[in-house]
Amino acid sequence: MRTQVGIVGAGPAGLLLSHLLARRGIDSVVLEARSREYIERRVRAGVLEHPTVELLREVGLGERMDREGMPHEGVSLRFDSEEHRIDFADLTGRGIVVYGQQEVVKDLVAARLADGGDVRFEVSGVRLDGLTSDPVIHFDGADGTRGELRCDAVVGADGFHGVSRAAVPHTTYDRQYPFAWLGILAQAAPVREELVYANHPDGFALYSMRSPEVTRLYLQVPPDTDADDWSDARIWDELHRRLGTEINEGPLLEKGVTGMRSFVAEPMRHGRLFLAGDAAHIVPPTGAKGMNLAIADVRVLADALYRLVTAGDGSGVDAYSDTCLRRVWRAEHFSWWMTSMLHTDPAADAFDRRLQLAQLRQTVRSRAAATTLAENYVGLPHGSV
């Protein structure tokens, strides 16, 4: 087989790139290791930045998001038993939309298949060759048949553990955090309209939501925590205590522990292979940047690949890594800052705790400091970093 762009991974980055390329008349094939049912049901982050929302609307993917998504014009920071609202609308004139990553994936899969896009699920044995000149993707199809896909460019959007990242000679920047998140998805109507980030002496907690019927909540726990060691009653008790706000309880639909790390691989390109999303960078979830960074990557990459395959213009792909990494490092800093300001470090002493509280007080009392948080949270305009 031959196509213009071969894409490994059918997450938001890979699927959106395929959609953006198709709108410009560029053919692509998307190869995904998991089943369609799996990727459409896998619950992930749900905060869409303002530029992400605008892009999805612009490319015809905003109808269900606008109907079912939950617009937020601010978030609250809770510490010292008091709650302080950061008003995004007042500070920036913009907001965010809570709309689960799996919902974005559903919309993208439906759009690609409706347009005759080639998305292949349950692919295995992916191997990349000829990346400096004539790229080839070798793979086994769902029926076990061996396939060979020749293309002008390959995009690795297959996540941190995929095959693509290992094929790019890179320098790694990595930070592991001494805590994790115990997250639950509960069949319980949210009682709040916006997210609440709580800094508590015994650990961070987050109140969020996924729909008018489903609440998403998190607790800071040690990184070696086994979710099965936490009973439902223990989780609810700790959430009430740390959040200090009303919570509707309900049956747990999901429970799991997520590690916290910052990771960047530089560069994001090797020959005709380009990394996007988690294959190139990971942020702790505190700043809600993961999916938004992936979408920002492919917005840049779609334009660069269009110029490359239609006119032989390599200027866009040559600049791709540097262009994206400027935004990546801004998001890495913001995510690190939010994480360090809101979590309890087990190695911290009383001096560190006082510094943390001083930062929180400055953030909620200074309009300039609150604006910095708001601008980064709602998302800096694409192309502005």
Side-chain angles (χ1 to χ4, degrees), residues 9 56 98 135 158 161 164 201 217 252 257 282 300 322 369:
L56 294 177
V98 172
D158 48 347
H161 297 290
S164 301
L217 303 112
L252 300 194
V257 175
I282 294 174
V300 174
D322 288 343

Side-chain angles (χ1 to χ4, degrees), residues 63-180:
E63 181 179 351
R64 194 164 72 94
M65 174 190 68
D66 286 334
R67 186 173 66 250
E68 300 179 13
M70 306 173 73
H72 287 29
E73 295 188 341
V75 297
S76 291
L77 303 182
R78 184 173 180 82
F79 60 95
D80 274 352
S81 301
E82 294 183 357
E83 192 169 304
H84 309 266
R85 184 169 182 267
I86 306 295
D87 190 331
F88 296 159
D90 173 56
L91 295 166
T92 72
R94 295 173 287 144
I96 60 168
V97 173
V98 172
Y99 187 63
Q101 177 172 311
Q102 73 276 13
E103 305 304 327
V104 175
V105 167
K106 288 177 190 175
D107 295 343
L108 284 163
V109 170
R112 294 306 302 123
L113 297 182
D115 291 342
D118 194 341
V119 183
R120 305 189 180 203
F121 299 101
E122 300 181 75
V123 166
S124 61
V126 172
R127 182 168 57 86
L128 309 178
D129 280 334
L131 297 175
T132 59
S133 54
D134 299 301
V136 182
I137 307 175
H138 305 275
F139 65 96
D140 295 323
D143 60 359
T145 304
R146 190 66 179 163
E148 183 179 282
L149 178 64
R150 296 186 174 274
C151 37
D152 297 316
V154 176
V155 176
D158 48 347
F160 181 80
H161 297 290
V163 302
S164 301
R165 182 172 61 85
V168 176
H170 59 262
T171 299
T172 296
Y173 301 90
D174 198 359
R175 172 160 296 179
Q176 300 279 351
Y177 295 87
F179 37 73

Side-chain angles (χ1 to χ4, degrees), residues 47 53 105 152 182 236 270 328 349 358:
V47 172
V53 171
V105 167
D152 297 316
L182 171 62
W236 288 117
H270 173 60
V328 167
D349 58 18

